[in-house]
């Protein structure tokens, strides 16, 4: 069984910063792409940033230059440094990972439980 656990959400004023972290654990053979998504009330879940095993990154246009994704392959973790936060960044942020389970040798798309980020104006 594979598990993703996020941490680091909370309430911050506009212009402030937060750092989200996500740790993967369980019957992991390998982890491919990892990323962060967010879902605001009444909106669809959207990609924020993603990172490959080699460190290549992909950012949504709305966070370029504002957020930074990083990864520690040895610790099976990713982080999202969020700076200059705006009220429109308010959402539940989800960790996502493409993982091969050693029990089945199959790849699967895995999600964390989500962490709330609220930016006040």
């Amino acid at each position: 069984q594979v598990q993703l656990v996020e941490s680091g959400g909370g309430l911050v004023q506009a212009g402030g910063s937060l750092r989200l972290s996500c740790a993967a654990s369980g019957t992991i053979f390998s982890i491919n792409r990892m990323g962060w998504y967010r879902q605001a009330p009444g909106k669809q879940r959207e990609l924020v940033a993603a990172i490959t095993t080699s460190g290549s990154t992909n950012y949504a246009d709305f966070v370029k230059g504002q957020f930074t994704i990083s990864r520690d392959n040895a610790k099976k973790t990713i982080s999202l440094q969020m700076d200059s936060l705006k009220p429109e960044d308010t959402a539940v942020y989800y960790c996502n990972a493409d993982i091969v389970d050693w029990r089945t040798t199959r790849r699967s798309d895995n999600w964390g439980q989500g962490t709330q980020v609220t930016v006040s104006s």
Side-chain angles (χ1 to χ4, degrees):
Q1 186 175 355
V2 172
Q3 189 175 20
L4 298 176
V5 178
E6 301 107 333
S7 60
L11 173 64
V12 64
Q13 288 189 332
S17 299
L18 281 175
R19 186 177 181 86
L20 305 182
S21 295
C22 172
S25 63
T27 54
I28 298 170
F29 176 75
S30 64
I31 306 176
N32 302 305
R33 179 179 178 271
M34 300 184 78
W36 290 96
Y37 288 71
R38 71 184 187 186
Q39 188 167 19
K43 295 188 177 181
Q44 289 189 331
R45 192 172 298 188
E46 59 185 358
L47 173 69
V48 175
I51 187 167
T52 66
T53 306
S54 62
S56 296
T57 57
N58 178 38
Y59 292 94
D61 287 342
F62 55 77
V63 298
K64 284 183 179 178
Q66 181 187 356
F67 293 1
T68 304
I69 190 170
S70 60
R71 177 170 178 163
D72 186 326
N73 290 325
K75 295 181 179 179
K76 300 184 179 64
T77 61
I78 59 169
S79 296
L80 185 70
Q81 178 65 40
M82 305 186 294
D83 297 319
S84 303
L85 284 162
K86 309 168 189 173
E88 51 264 43
D89 294 319
T90 295
V92 178
Y93 284 71
Y94 296 90
C95 178
N96 172 263
D98 176 16
I99 294 174
V100 177
D101 188 322
W102 62 256
R103 298 174 303 166
T104 63
T105 68
R106 292 181 178 176
R107 294 173 64 174
S108 64
D109 197 34
N110 298 270
W111 295 90
Q113 80 285 354
T115 185
Q116 177 70 47
V117 171
T118 303
V119 184
S120 62
S121 57

